[in-house]
Structure formats: C-alpha cells, structure tokens
C-alpha cells in the first residue's frame, strides 16, 4: 500500500509515454507467444516484429521443441486471427537469454532466420503470405 500518493484522474486513465501503435504490436506479440506455448510440443517461444526490405513489419515466431513442428502454422491459424499467424516460424534448440533469465529479444533480432539451425515454415499460399 502506498501512502501519501494522490492520482490525478487524467494521468491514471492513460498510460503516459506509450505509443498506441506500439501497444497494439506488443499485444499482438503476446497473443502469438501465448498461442505458441499452448502447443503440446513447444517448450519455449518468443514472437517479435521484424522490418522487411519494403519497410513493413512482419511477425516472426521462434520456438523450442524436441524437433521442428511442420503443422505449427496451421495449428496457430486455428487459434489466432489470420493476420497474427507469423510470416516465419523458426525452430531453435534454445532461445538466447539475458543474465536475468529473460528472452533476449535484441539477440533474436540479429538471428539470421535462414541459418543452419533454423527450420523455416513458409506461407502455405499467396493469400497467407499477403496476410502475414
């Protein structure tokens, strides 16, 4: 309990300094992250937005499992809206962690998704690619 603090109504009703577009992106990433963790074979997951060559933001999902999951894209499509199915799903043996044990998102931004240790699941159709 905080004593001696007084909240002004205008300040308590809005989150100061939060960009609405960034808040929406964060919420979408959280939904994708939680959906991936619901899959029975996924032990860890992370989702982030990457800017592609055209300047558009594309969702990328990273997941840890015993092996690559070929049907993860279709499985996710049944649980999140079509525009939230990641454009790229990347299987990793482990996710990079910060010294505090949290997923190191900065390190994931630098991961080459076409590297040797990844399993890319491309869009199944032109429509799915356009939506992703």
């Amino acid at each position: 309990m905080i004593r001696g603090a007084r909240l002004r109504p205008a300040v308590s009703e809005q989150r100061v300094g939060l960009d609405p577009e960034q808040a929406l992106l964060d919420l979408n990433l959280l939904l994708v992250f939680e959906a991936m963790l619901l899959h029975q074979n996924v032990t860890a997951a992370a989702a982030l937005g990457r800017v592609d060559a055209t300047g558009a933001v594309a969702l990328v999902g990273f997941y840890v499992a015993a092996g690559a999951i070929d049907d993860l894209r279709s499985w996710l499509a049944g649980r999140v809206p079509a525009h939230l199915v990641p454009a790229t799903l990347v299987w990793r043996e482990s996710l990079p962690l910060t010294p505090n044990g949290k997923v190191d998102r900065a390190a994931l931004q630098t991961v080459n998704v076409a590297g040797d240790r990844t399993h890319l699941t491309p869009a199944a159709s032109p429509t799915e690619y356009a939506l992703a």
Side-chain angles (χ1 to χ4, degrees):
M1 183 170 155
I2 299 175
R3 295 182 186 264
R6 184 173 73 187
L7 295 177
R8 294 177 300 194
V11 174
S12 63
E13 291 177 4
Q14 67 182 20
R15 295 179 68 180
V16 177
L18 186 63
D19 179 23
E21 289 182 14
Q22 182 63 44
L24 182 60
L25 178 62
D26 290 346
L27 179 61
N28 289 341
L29 294 176
L30 180 63
L31 290 172
V32 173
F33 161 76
E34 288 180 345
M36 284 193 297
L37 283 179
L38 290 175
H39 193 282
Q40 64 184 2
N41 296 330
V42 174
T43 57
L48 51 93
R50 279 195 170 173
V51 179
D52 64 12
T54 65
V57 177
L59 288 175
V60 179
F62 296 89
Y63 67 96
V64 176
I69 304 171
D70 293 329
D71 68 334
L72 185 57
R73 177 179 304 285
S74 60
W75 189 86
L76 282 171
R79 282 156 183 79
V80 297
H83 69 280
L84 293 181
V85 175
T88 306
L89 292 170
V90 182
W91 170 78
R92 302 212 17 115
E93 292 175 359
S94 64
L95 295 177
L97 301 177
T98 65
N100 293 336
K102 296 179 181 180
V103 174
D104 189 349
R105 294 186 178 283
L108 283 177
Q109 284 285 0
T110 62
V111 170
N112 180 6
V113 294
D116 296 347
R117 299 178 144 194
T118 61
H119 174 77
L120 302 179
T121 308
S125 68
T127 304
E128 191 173 277
Y129 181 79
L131 290 173

